Amino acid sequence: MVASISSNCNGKLAGCVLLELPLKEGQEQKALELLMQHPHGVKYTMAQPGCGSYSIGLDGNVLVLNGYWETKEQWIAYAGSRQVKEGKLGEKNAQWDETFGPFIDGELRAAPMDIIKTYHGSAKDITKFSGMPRVEFPIMEDKLDEAVQVLMNHPHGIDFLMTMPGVKEVCLAKDTEKNSIIIMGKIESVDHWKDYLSKRQSDSGELGKLNASWKEAFFPLVAGKPKTSCLEVSKYVSDI
């Protein structure tokens, strides 16, 4: 599951990117293998300055990549290099587009973000995990920063998630274009995530009181239905 691909990351990861790419149905595994094996796929990405790691999974026919970079700006520079049309790099880009393009069936969502805070679980080895959870909260207009503070400071916010068994690492970020809060992470298994969600739904006893307090504090700031998923990790590439 863990692919050892050398990267040019030399420091703390302060940037992240969420990528979602619809693929043609029935072609998902072929597209994934091409992404991993082609010299201008993930191998090219990992060779760029500041690239730390990628968790890659499939949500139906949507290819999902959670990327971690030294800075958001380095990912933006890398994305720009993918658009070069001249010289040797332009030739490689054209070849890649010609090879991978037929697998694509929709618009790419690319959300480069500054990491507000990275939370670490008790596990020391963060490369051993099989679940890649993601939560996205659409937030009311002009309430994004307030919502972030509630999530960080309420005792039943993100701190509660970090007490759960199996949680390895969680990054908190905000997508200012969509006015949403995004939580991306690494968890030991999808079943661990399901156990966490079941605890969030409890309405009995002390846990039920804490859940009610959390909903009262946070959800008035939420503008729509949150998007919650935890995918099986198809591939994980890192220099760790």
Side-chain angles (χ1 to χ4, degrees):
M1 183 179 297
V2 178
S4 179
I5 299 178
S6 179
S7 83
N8 275 331
C9 176
N10 297 307
K12 180 181 178 181
L13 302 178
C16 63
V17 61
L18 169 65
L19 302 171
E20 297 175 334
L21 182 62
L23 301 173
K24 291 180 179 176
E25 291 189 14
Q27 298 296 308
E28 298 90 353
Q29 290 300 324
K30 289 182 179 179
L32 180 60
E33 290 306 314
L34 181 61
L35 181 69
M36 294 299 300
Q37 299 300 327
H38 195 285
H40 211 59
V42 167
K43 293 177 182 178
Y44 173 75
T45 304
M46 293 298 296
Q48 302 312 300
C51 184
S53 69
Y54 271 87
S55 302
I56 305 171
L58 288 166
D59 188 0
N61 72 316
V62 178
L63 183 65
V64 179
L65 299 94
N66 293 347
Y68 303 88
W69 290 69
E70 285 184 30
T71 67
K72 173 183 70 176
E73 289 73 21
Q74 286 173 311
W75 181 88
I76 293 172
Y78 149 73
S81 76
R82 288 281 191 184
Q83 303 304 314
V84 171
K85 299 185 182 301
E86 299 177 349
K88 290 184 178 180
L89 179 56
E91 293 176 4
K92 291 179 180 179
N93 285 337
Q95 183 190 46
W96 169 249
D97 291 344
E98 182 179 345
T99 304
F100 193 74
F103 292 96
I104 299 173
D105 191 31
E107 293 295 322
L108 168 70
R109 178 191 178 185
M113 300 167 284
D114 293 314
I115 294 175
I116 299 170
K117 186 173 180 179
T118 299
Y119 297 79
H120 297 283
S122 58
K124 294 182 179 179
D125 187 354
I126 63 170
T127 67
K128 294 182 179 180
F129 65 101
S130 63
M132 46 183 289
R134 190 202 71 186
V135 181
E136 183 168 9
F137 294 105
I139 301 300
M140 301 287 288
E141 188 176 355
D142 298 325
K143 296 293 185 180
L144 192 56
D145 289 336
E146 181 181 349
V148 168
Q149 290 303 311
V150 173
L151 187 62
M152 293 178 65
N153 295 320
H154 193 285
H156 210 59
I158 202 166
D159 285 343
F160 175 67
L161 169 60
M162 297 312 299
T163 66
M164 295 294 102
V167 177
K168 303 267 185 167
E169 182 180 83
V170 167
C171 290
L172 174 65
K174 56 184 179 181
D175 182 351
T176 54
E177 285 192 9
K178 288 188 173 290
N179 206 61
S180 63
I181 294 173
I182 293 178
I183 298 171
M184 303 193 314
K186 302 170 183 176
I187 194 167
E188 190 171 326
S189 70
V190 172
D191 285 340
H192 281 90
W193 183 254
K194 291 178 180 178
D195 288 342
Y196 158 69
L197 291 182
S198 69
K199 289 181 172 60
R200 281 287 191 193
Q201 299 304 314
S202 174
D203 58 4
S204 61
E206 187 62 28
L207 181 57
K209 293 179 182 178
L210 291 171
N211 284 333
S213 171
W214 164 245
K215 291 176 182 177
E216 182 179 349
F218 184 72
F219 278 85
L221 304 172
V222 177
K225 185 177 180 180
K227 183 177 181 180
T228 302
S229 66
C230 185
L231 305 180
E232 291 280 356
V233 177
S234 299
K235 303 290 181 181
Y236 175 64
V237 289
S238 174
D239 69 333
I240 297 174

